[in-house]
Amino acid sequence: MTTATTAAGRVISDDTVPARAAWSAIVRKGRLLTITDLHGNQAADFLVYDAHDTSVRYSAPDTIHAQGNIFLTTGSVLLSNEHTPLMTVVEDTCRRHDTVGGACSKESNTLRYGHHTWSQHACVENFLAEGSKHGLGKRDLVSNVNWFMNVPVEKDGTLGIVDGISAPGLKVVLRAETDVLALLSNCPQINNPCNGFDPTAVRMTITEPDESDEG
């Protein structure tokens, strides 16, 4: 973690999250959270809560309904279950992120890929371990965002999990619209192409933007 000043503003924290690991932080109102896909084709599962009342949390249905699109990109607002804005995507160099694929778990791995996958680490376990640091439990887990994950909807309505369209260095930048608690699971999935069958690191950077950048 570092604190420094860049052309984009003051860096509050800058963390490299290893493959399969979890991360969390409080992002204060107006600050920017940049998620960078360091090596390409790495899904980053994400949850966000009101930092002062975690019963107010990201709502996939509210977000999808409000924007009329299941994919997130620049301009998308992550809405809460109270239909209040939590974070806004202010920059996106990947241009497609999933809202419906959900987080992998030991149970879903077993159902999809066989009982031999039961012992494999998964995003739900990451969320539970990281969320416990903030008093969150299993009942606090909701449908999540999958940054950089490519989940097209087929003509028959089924979802595909296919090779990502991300590349090394692509990023998504989120502005906190209130003080939020952000949780990330750097997806450990190795049974489908969402991580290119080879999970890699991502970078999480929180910055205080220059006044001239605030809009």
Side-chain angles (χ1 to χ4, degrees):
M1 182 177 294
T2 62
T3 301
T5 301
T6 70
R10 183 167 61 96
V11 177
I12 305 301
S13 64
D14 191 2
D15 301 305
T16 297
V17 184
R20 302 178 177 86
W23 173 94
S24 62
I26 301 294
V27 186
R28 299 299 178 188
K29 181 179 179 179
R31 288 179 175 174
L32 302 176
L33 172 63
T34 301
I35 307 171
T36 305
D37 188 358
L38 293 176
H39 302 281
N41 205 17
Q42 174 61 38
D45 291 40
F46 185 80
L47 288 170
V48 60
Y49 304 79
D50 186 311
H52 304 292
D53 180 2
T54 55
S55 69
V56 180
R57 67 279 302 267
Y58 170 71
S59 168
D62 285 85
T63 299
I64 293 168
H65 180 264
Q67 68 170 3
N69 197 321
I70 63 170
F71 302 112
L72 302 176
T73 188
T74 304
S76 297
V77 180
L78 306 188
L79 293 177
S80 77
N81 53 321
E82 295 190 351
H83 211 73
T84 54
L86 295 171
M87 305 190 87
T88 299
V89 180
V90 296
E91 183 180 353
D92 175 22
T93 58
C94 181
R95 296 188 296 279
R96 174 176 283 197
H97 307 275
D98 168 61
T99 59
V100 295
C104 59
S105 66
K106 290 184 176 182
E107 292 81 5
S108 65
N109 279 344
T110 300
L111 179 64
R112 291 173 175 169
Y113 311 114
H115 190 73
H116 67 282
T117 66
W118 173 259
S119 63
Q120 294 176 4
H121 198 53
C123 285
V124 167
E125 283 66 45
N126 268 347
F127 281 141
L128 289 173
E130 195 67 23
S132 68
K133 300 175 183 178
H134 306 278
L136 300 177
K138 196 162 189 176
R139 68 177 57 193
D140 298 301
L141 300 189
V142 294
S143 298
N144 59 286
V145 175
N146 291 309
W147 302 114
F148 310 112
M149 188 170 166
N150 190 14
V151 184
V153 179
E154 308 297 347
K155 290 183 178 180
D156 64 358
T158 59
L159 301 179
I161 299 177
V162 299
D163 285 337
I165 60 175
S166 186
L170 295 190
K171 64 183 179 180
V172 58
V173 183
L174 302 154
R175 181 181 65 230
E177 304 299 351
T178 188
D179 293 348
V180 297
L181 167 63
L183 266 65
L184 180 127
S185 170
N186 195 18
C187 185
Q189 183 61 253
I190 58 173
N191 300 291
N192 68 51
C194 72
N195 300 319
F197 302 101
D198 182 23
T200 54
V202 298
R203 185 179 184 183
M204 308 294 290
T205 309
I206 299 173
T207 54
E208 184 81 56
D210 292 332
E211 291 185 6
S212 59
D213 295 332
E214 297 179 352

